[in-house]
Amino acid sequence: MSMNESVAYLKGLAEGLELDKDTKEGKLLTAMIDVLDEMAAEISDVEEQVGELDELVDTIDEDLGALEEDFYEDEDDEDEEECDGPMYEVTCPNCGDTIYLDEGTILEGDIDCPSCGQNLEFDLEGCDCGDGECGCCHHDHEEH
């Protein structure tokens, strides 16, 4: 039973009791039923507005999703281009998690472990990467 139906039922009960609206009790009950009726009408209006806002938010969310897809699609393509080269497996000495890095990241010299935040440094000093046997970190790890 909706709130409006409940208030209508109470009005019917009050009318069935044939309340004397001139007595203190009759005035009080009549005023209370009138207030309940107004509250039920306001709540119905608010529920209707919330329903409209919910539909509007859903529409905005769908539009935003389409925009994000269009906008971030270009960035995803750029990321894929950067990752086309060889990937190297590195195990964090602090937490033991395995991460995969491209050569550019390793050549930067360091990176924070995405799992524990430990700074991982790659010593490339004296590296002669041309022969692959220099012992630098990006040749010590399995290529993927």
Side-chain angles (χ1 to χ4, degrees):
M1 184 183 301
S2 73
M3 191 171 294
N4 287 331
E5 292 170 336
S6 297
V7 173
Y9 176 73
L10 290 175
K11 278 185 178 181
L13 286 177
E15 289 174 8
L17 291 174
E18 296 179 6
L19 291 175
D20 183 5
K21 295 180 183 180
D22 294 328
T23 66
K24 292 178 185 179
E25 293 84 9
K27 288 179 183 179
L28 176 64
L29 288 173
T30 302
M32 288 173 65
I33 290 171
D34 289 343
V35 168
L36 287 172
D37 191 36
E38 289 175 26
M39 288 173 61
E42 286 290 325
I43 289 172
S44 292
D45 289 345
V46 168
E47 286 175 342
E48 185 178 318
Q49 291 172 352
V50 167
E52 291 171 3
L53 287 173
D54 191 40
E55 289 177 18
L56 182 60
V57 167
D58 286 344
T59 302
I60 291 171
D61 185 48
E62 289 171 7
D63 292 345
L64 180 60
L67 285 173
E68 287 175 339
E69 194 173 292
D70 291 344
F71 180 76
Y72 290 117
E73 182 178 310
D74 294 339
E75 287 186 10
D76 290 342
D77 290 345
E78 290 173 11
D79 290 344
E80 288 174 10
E81 289 172 12
E82 291 175 12
C83 294
D84 284 342
M87 298 295 290
Y88 299 93
E89 183 178 289
V90 177
T91 302
C92 176
N94 188 49
C95 67
D97 280 0
T98 300
I99 56 176
Y100 296 92
L101 305 173
D102 62 7
E103 190 167 10
T105 303
I106 291 174
L107 290 175
E108 288 177 13
D110 71 330
I111 186 172
D112 290 337
C113 174
S115 298
C116 68
Q118 174 77 29
N119 185 265
L120 306 176
E121 293 182 4
F122 309 108
D123 184 14
L124 303 177
E125 191 173 312
C127 174
D128 182 15
C129 293
D131 60 11
E133 303 209 10
C134 63
C136 73
C137 66
H138 68 277
H139 292 294
D140 286 343
H141 302 286
E142 185 177 321
E143 186 174 328
H144 290 276

